[in-house]
Each structure stands twice: as structure tokens, then as C-alpha cells.
Coordinates of all heavy atoms in Angstrom, one line a residue:
R1 N -95.5 38.1 175.4 CA -94.5 39.1 175.3 C -93.2 38.7 176.1 O -93.3 38.4 177.2 CB -95.0 40.5 176.0 CG -94.0 41.6 175.9 CD -94.5 42.8 176.8 NE -95.9 43.3 176.2 CZ -97.0 43.3 177.0 NH1 -97.0 42.6 178.2 NH2 -98.0 43.6 176.5
V2 N -92.0 38.6 175.3 CA -91.0 38.0 176.1 C -89.6 38.7 175.7 O -89.6 39.6 174.7 CB -90.7 36.5 175.6 CG1 -91.7 35.6 176.1 CG2 -90.6 36.4 174.0
I3 N -88.6 38.7 176.6 CA -87.4 39.3 176.4 C -86.5 38.1 176.1 O -86.4 37.1 176.9 CB -86.8 40.2 177.5 CG1 -85.5 40.6 177.3 CG2 -87.0 39.4 178.9 CD1 -85.0 41.7 178.3
K4 N -85.7 38.2 175.0 CA -84.8 37.0 174.6 C -83.7 37.5 173.8 O -83.8 38.6 173.2 CB -85.7 36.0 173.7 CG -86.7 35.2 174.5 CD -86.2 34.3 175.6 CE -87.4 33.7 176.3 NZ -86.8 32.9 177.5
R5 N -82.6 36.7 173.7 CA -81.6 37.0 172.7 C -81.9 36.2 171.4 O -82.0 35.1 171.4 CB -80.3 36.5 173.5 CG -79.0 36.9 172.7 CD -77.9 36.8 173.7 NE -77.9 37.8 174.7 CZ -77.1 37.8 175.7 NH1 -76.1 37.0 175.9 NH2 -77.3 38.7 176.7
L6 N -81.9 37.1 170.4 CA -82.3 36.6 169.1 C -80.9 35.9 168.3 O -79.9 36.7 168.3 CB -82.9 37.6 168.3 CG -84.2 38.1 168.8 CD1 -84.9 39.1 167.8 CD2 -85.2 37.0 169.1
Q7 N -81.2 34.8 167.8 CA -80.3 34.2 167.0 C -80.8 33.8 165.6 O -82.0 33.7 165.5 CB -79.6 32.9 167.7 CG -78.9 33.2 169.0 CD -77.6 34.0 168.9 OE1 -77.1 34.4 167.8 NE2 -76.9 34.4 169.9
R8 N -79.9 33.4 164.7 CA -80.4 33.0 163.4 C -81.0 31.5 163.5 O -80.5 30.7 164.2 CB -79.3 33.0 162.5 CG -79.9 32.9 160.9 CD -78.6 32.9 160.0 NE -77.6 34.0 160.2 CZ -77.9 35.1 159.7 NH1 -78.8 35.5 158.9 NH2 -76.9 36.1 159.9
S9 N -82.2 31.4 163.0 CA -82.9 30.1 163.0 C -82.7 29.3 161.8 O -82.5 29.8 160.7 CB -84.4 30.3 163.2 OG -85.1 29.1 163.2
D10 N -82.7 27.9 162.0 CA -82.6 27.0 160.9 C -84.0 26.9 160.0 O -84.0 26.5 158.9 CB -82.3 25.6 161.3 CG -80.9 25.7 161.8 OD1 -80.0 26.4 161.5 OD2 -80.5 24.6 162.7
M11 N -85.0 27.5 160.7 CA -86.4 27.4 160.1 C -86.5 28.9 159.3 O -86.3 30.0 159.8 CB -87.4 27.4 161.1 CG -87.4 26.0 161.8 SD -88.8 25.8 163.1 CE -90.3 26.0 161.9
K12 N -86.8 28.8 158.1 CA -87.1 29.9 157.2 C -88.3 30.8 157.8 O -89.2 30.3 158.2 CB -87.5 29.4 155.8 CG -87.7 30.6 154.9 CD -87.9 30.1 153.5 CE -88.0 31.3 152.4 NZ -88.3 30.8 151.1
G13 N -88.1 32.2 157.8 CA -89.0 33.0 158.3 C -89.0 33.1 159.8 O -90.1 33.6 160.3
C14 N -88.1 32.5 160.6 CA -88.2 32.5 162.0 C -86.9 33.0 162.6 O -85.7 33.2 161.9 CB -88.3 31.1 162.5 SG -90.0 30.4 162.1
W15 N -87.0 33.5 163.8 CA -85.9 33.8 164.7 C -85.7 32.7 165.7 O -86.7 32.2 166.2 CB -86.0 35.2 165.4 CG -86.0 36.4 164.5 CD1 -85.1 36.5 163.4 CD2 -86.8 37.5 164.6 NE1 -85.3 37.8 162.9 CE2 -86.4 38.3 163.5 CE3 -87.9 38.0 165.5 CZ2 -87.1 39.8 163.3 CZ3 -88.5 39.1 165.2 CH2 -87.9 40.0 164.2
L16 N -84.6 32.4 166.2 CA -84.4 31.6 167.4 C -84.3 32.4 168.6 O -83.4 33.3 168.8 CB -83.0 30.7 167.2 CG -82.9 29.6 168.2 CD1 -84.0 28.7 168.2 CD2 -81.6 29.0 168.1
A17 N -85.3 32.3 169.6 CA -85.4 33.1 170.7 C -84.6 32.3 171.8 O -85.1 31.2 172.3 CB -86.7 33.4 171.1
C18 N -83.6 32.9 172.4 CA -82.7 32.2 173.2 C -82.8 32.9 174.7 O -82.9 34.0 174.7 CB -81.3 31.9 172.8 SG -81.1 31.2 171.1
S19 N -82.5 32.0 175.7 CA -82.4 32.5 177.1 C -80.9 32.5 177.3 O -80.1 31.8 176.7 CB -83.2 31.7 178.1 OG -84.5 31.5 177.8
V20 N -80.6 33.2 178.4 CA -79.1 33.3 178.8 C -78.9 32.4 180.1 O -77.9 32.1 180.5 CB -78.5 34.7 179.1 CG1 -78.6 35.4 177.8 CG2 -79.4 35.4 180.2
N21 N -80.1 32.0 180.7 CA -80.0 31.1 181.9 C -79.7 29.8 181.6 O -80.4 29.2 180.9 CB -81.2 31.3 182.7 CG -81.1 30.6 184.1 OD1 -80.4 29.6 184.4 ND2 -82.0 31.1 185.1
E22 N -78.5 29.3 182.0 CA -78.2 27.9 181.5 C -78.3 26.9 182.7 O -77.8 25.8 182.5 CB -76.7 27.9 181.2 CG -76.2 28.8 180.1 CD -74.8 28.8 179.8 OE1 -74.0 28.3 180.7 OE2 -74.4 29.3 178.8
D23 N -79.3 27.1 183.6 CA -79.7 26.1 184.5 C -80.4 24.9 183.8 O -81.1 25.0 182.8 CB -80.9 26.7 185.6 CG -80.2 27.7 186.5 OD1 -78.9 27.8 186.5 OD2 -80.9 28.4 187.3
T24 N -80.2 23.7 184.4 CA -80.7 22.5 183.8 C -81.5 21.8 184.9 O -81.4 22.0 186.1 CB -79.5 21.5 183.4 OG1 -78.7 21.3 184.5 CG2 -78.7 22.3 182.2
W25 N -82.3 20.8 184.4 CA -83.1 19.9 185.2 C -82.1 19.0 186.0 O -81.3 18.4 185.2 CB -84.1 19.2 184.4 CG -85.1 20.1 183.8 CD1 -85.2 20.4 182.5 CD2 -86.3 20.7 184.5 NE1 -86.2 21.2 182.1 CE2 -86.9 21.4 183.5 CE3 -86.8 20.8 185.7 CZ2 -88.2 22.2 183.7 CZ3 -87.8 21.6 186.0 CH2 -88.5 22.2 185.0
E26 N -82.3 18.9 187.2 CA -81.4 17.9 188.0 C -81.9 16.5 188.1 O -81.1 15.6 188.3 CB -81.2 18.6 189.4 CG -80.5 19.9 189.5 CD -80.5 20.4 190.9 OE1 -80.8 19.7 191.9 OE2 -79.8 21.5 190.9
K27 N -83.2 16.3 188.1 CA -83.8 15.0 188.2 C -84.9 14.8 187.1 O -85.2 15.6 186.5 CB -84.3 14.9 189.6 CG -83.5 15.0 190.8 CD -84.1 14.9 192.1 CE -83.1 15.3 193.3 NZ -83.9 15.1 194.7

């Protein structure tokens, strides 16, 4: 069970579930 921002997916029959946190791995 997740909370995500939904975007259109390139895969048929799917949604692209996106996060808003833009933190990246540092090392």
C-alpha cells in the first residue's frame, strides 16, 4: 500500500508510480 504521484507509463496497462523526494545516493 503506497502513496505515489501517478504518471502515464510507457508500459501498456500500467501506471508509473513516482515519488516527489529527489534525494540521490551520495556514494
